[in-house]
Amino acid sequence: MIQIDQEIKKAMLAKDNAQLRGLRAIKAALLLAKTEKGSSEEITEETELKILQKLIKQRRESADIYKSQNREDLFQVEEEEIAVINQFLPKQLDRAEVELIIEQVIKQSGATSVKDMGKVMGLANKELAGKADGKLIAEIVKEKLA
């Protein structure tokens, strides 16, 4: 959170509105998670990653809608915010790297058919947390088990 506050100050001084919007969204989401019922005082790194991934997913969905409605101005805003939020996530793996990891998970779990998809997805999501998009993981698991 301290790093986010420092980045917000830098963005304000640089008058970088796109950076500022993205950082404020991150800060708001983290504060909300901190004050939720039943949450402890500190947010774990794993929880932070999930929050950031959720923010990106929301913005991607909005960007897709704006793109389909030919609203390039709003689409651009969402893309800028995605770029800012991505700065705080670990490097995303490419498709080939994700496929290798999923193949290992399938071997370890002993999965043989699509019926085992739930078990494989649970293990794959744990292994790839923050490193790959959930949609991509599901797509690859489905291909490998089919």
Side-chain angles (χ1 to χ4, degrees), residues 37-98:
K37 254 188 180 173
S39 71
S40 61
E41 271 303 303
E42 283 303 308
I43 297 175
T44 63
E45 194 172 323
E46 185 181 321
T47 306
E48 265 185 38
L49 286 176
K50 285 180 183 176
I51 291 169
L52 294 177
Q53 286 176 316
K54 183 179 176 185
L55 291 174
I56 287 180
K57 181 181 179 193
Q58 290 170 341
R59 277 153 185 76
R60 281 212 173 101
E61 289 170 354
S62 297
D64 290 343
I65 292 168
Y66 294 143
K67 187 94 171 159
S68 70
Q69 295 177 349
N70 295 322
R71 292 295 312 265
E72 197 61 39
D73 54 333
L74 297 174
F75 171 77
Q76 194 59 42
V77 168
E78 297 297 330
E79 287 296 314
E80 289 169 352
E81 289 184 19
I82 289 171
V84 171
I85 296 167
N86 266 330
Q87 295 171 7
F88 295 93
L89 283 174
K91 179 189 163 290
Q92 298 292 294
L93 300 175
D94 65 20
R95 186 178 178 92
E97 293 169 316
V98 174

Side-chain angles (χ1 to χ4, degrees), residues 4-22:
I4 299 287
D5 289 335
Q6 292 169 348
E7 293 294 323
I8 287 174
K9 286 177 189 172
K10 283 183 196 173
M12 288 172 117
L13 290 172
K15 296 189 185 336
D16 185 348
N17 288 332
Q19 184 84 357
L20 196 55
R21 273 194 319 271

